[in-house]
Amino acid sequence: ENLHVNSAPVVPVLDRLACRQLGQKLPTGEDVVAVEHSLLHHLKGPGYRRNMLPAYAPLTSAQRSALRNRIYPFLPVEDPVHAERLLLLREFEDLLSTAQPERSGKWNLMNRVHHEFIPSDLMLQTMIQGLAADAFVATRYSERHDALLVALHYRSPPGRVLWHAWASRVRTKPTFNEWFTMLKGSESPDRLYDLQARRYGF
């Protein structure tokens, strides 16, 4: 529910729908933001409403708590919250290493000092914003936290060679994002092959 300060509405900056269309009405009188939020409720995204997670957690809450507490005696200088954060970052490093085997050098996320809490009802909007840049998506289920780890990343082969780039006339089928950012308003290709550009190149 949106707050009000001096009669002015205050909306979360991550709620991009409300930021753009707050106060607008449809011809039927329905609130545009409420309708868009209801439509989002029916979409699927990694981790949203347990999508891509087991229907039921393999471990109970008590079992997960016992599993976490097993390692704390071996980390006497770390408080439990910080220890869990380090272990979670380690899982992300393993996930990214699996997703990018061509990368030279190991991933090191331990120096990441900033993190942002995203409310569950705004997670899907945030995910859509990240996917609009056509990033690759890597996921892994963590039994320890009963959570889905989601990493949006870009492939960067050795030598910083681009994973894919527009270097000639389009011959394979572009995604909507590729068409919107690269081809919209330009001359349409005379022929396209029914092949996915991300798999076969352009």
Side-chain angles (χ1 to χ4, degrees), residues 148-159:
L148 186 71
L149 308 182
V150 181
L152 305 184
H153 63 100
Y154 296 93
R155 305 295 286 266
S156 181

Side-chain angles (χ1 to χ4, degrees), residues 1 4 19 24-25 46-48 56 63 80 89 91 107 115 133 136 166 168-169 171 179 188 190 192 197 201:
E1 184 178 354
H4 287 75
C19 290
Q24 297 186 33
K25 301 287 185 180
Y48 181 63
Y56 300 97
Q63 288 174 323
L89 288 176
E91 290 193 56
W107 283 91
H115 69 274
F136 291 91
W166 297 88
S168 62
R169 290 181 61 84
R171 292 301 182 188
W179 170 83
S188 299
D190 56 355
L192 285 176

Side-chain angles (χ1 to χ4, degrees), residues 34 48 66 116 161:
Y48 181 63
E116 181 178 6
V161 180

Side-chain angles (χ1 to χ4, degrees), residues 89-102:
L89 288 176
R90 177 60 185 271
E91 290 193 56
F92 269 108
E93 290 175 352
D94 293 341
L95 171 61
L96 289 169
S97 296
T98 303
Q100 295 191 14
E102 74 283 348

Side-chain angles (χ1 to χ4, degrees), residues 41-138:
H41 186 70
H42 297 285
L43 298 181
K44 289 185 177 181
Y48 181 63
R49 300 178 65 190
R50 294 198 70 84
N51 182 41
M52 300 176 66
L53 278 82
Y56 300 97
L59 302 178
T60 65
S61 177
Q63 288 174 323
R64 292 196 300 273
S65 178
L67 182 63
R68 289 193 296 268
N69 280 277
R70 287 177 61 184
I71 198 171
Y72 295 156
F74 301 98
L75 300 171
V77 297
E78 300 288 352
D79 64 89
V81 174
H82 190 217
E84 285 300 324
R85 181 177 180 275
L86 293 177
L87 291 171
L88 191 60
L89 288 176
R90 177 60 185 271
E91 290 193 56
F92 269 108
E93 290 175 352
D94 293 341
L95 171 61
L96 289 169
S97 296
T98 303
Q100 295 191 14
E102 74 283 348
R103 178 186 172 94
S104 59
K106 294 183 178 180
W107 283 91
N108 182 12
L109 304 179
M110 298 301 177
N111 58 353
R112 303 296 178 96
V113 296
H114 174 77
H115 69 274
E116 181 178 6
F117 173 78
I118 301 175
S120 58
D121 58 326
L122 300 178
M123 175 58 71
L124 193 57
Q125 286 193 60
T126 306
M127 191 75 67
I128 291 173
Q129 184 72 14
L131 292 173
D134 217 16
F136 291 91
V137 182

